[in-house]
């Protein structure tokens, strides 16, 4: 599990510059997994999943993608996720 927070100011990146149609597709391509539920450990909703931009609370300024439901993608506090984090490509 990883302790994360939603990254601010990332809505300007509507999709990856690497060719995928969405950030969720980017996460699936790089993990080889299908996103089936929200990664927040206190949620695990299966509806309206997005590729959420998060940062590790104790891990620097890097931004990662992980599956989140729309509600968890709008959280303002810190939370735990149990899904893999995929780093956002450089140069966005």
């Amino acid at each position: 599990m990883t302790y994360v927070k939603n990254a601010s100011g990332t809505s300007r990146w509507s999709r990856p510059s690497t060719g995928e149609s969405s950030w969720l597709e980017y996460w699936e391509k790089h993990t080889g997994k299908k996103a089936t539920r929200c990664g927040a450990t206190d949620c695990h909703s299966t509806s309206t999943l997005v590729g959420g931009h998060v940062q590790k609370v104790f891990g620097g300024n890097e931004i990662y993608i992980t599956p989140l439901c729309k509600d968890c993608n709008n959280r303002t506090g810190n939370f735990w996720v149990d899904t893999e984090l995929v780093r956002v490509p450089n140069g966005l």
Side-chain angles (χ1 to χ4, degrees), residues 30-44:
H30 286 83
T31 62
K33 298 178 181 180
K34 177 75 176 150
T36 58
R37 63 172 175 82
C38 178
T41 59
D42 59 348
C43 179
H44 288 187

Side-chain angles (χ1 to χ4, degrees), residues 13-32 51 65 86-89 92:
W13 302 327
S14 59
R15 61 186 183 146
S17 60
T18 51
E20 297 81 10
S21 63
S22 70
W23 286 108
L24 192 59
E25 183 182 323
Y26 176 84
W27 181 88
E28 291 176 337
K29 178 181 175 182
H30 286 83
T31 62
I65 301 298
V86 175
R87 189 155 178 209
V88 169
L92 285 180

Side-chain angles (χ1 to χ4, degrees), residues 23-87:
W23 286 108
L24 192 59
E25 183 182 323
Y26 176 84
W27 181 88
E28 291 176 337
K29 178 181 175 182
H30 286 83
T31 62
K33 298 178 181 180
K34 177 75 176 150
T36 58
R37 63 172 175 82
C38 178
T41 59
D42 59 348
C43 179
H44 288 187
S45 172
T46 58
S47 64
T48 321
L49 297 177
V50 298
H53 293 77
V54 299
Q55 292 177 290
K56 294 178 182 178
V57 172
F58 304 109
N61 295 324
E62 292 87 8
I63 297 175
Y64 301 87
I65 301 298
T66 200
L68 295 176
C69 69
K70 283 200 173 188
D71 287 340
C72 290
N73 193 45
N74 290 317
R75 287 184 180 204
T76 56
N78 302 336
F79 56 99
W80 292 97
V81 294
D82 61 2
T83 46
E84 288 182 52
L85 302 181
V86 175
R87 189 155 178 209

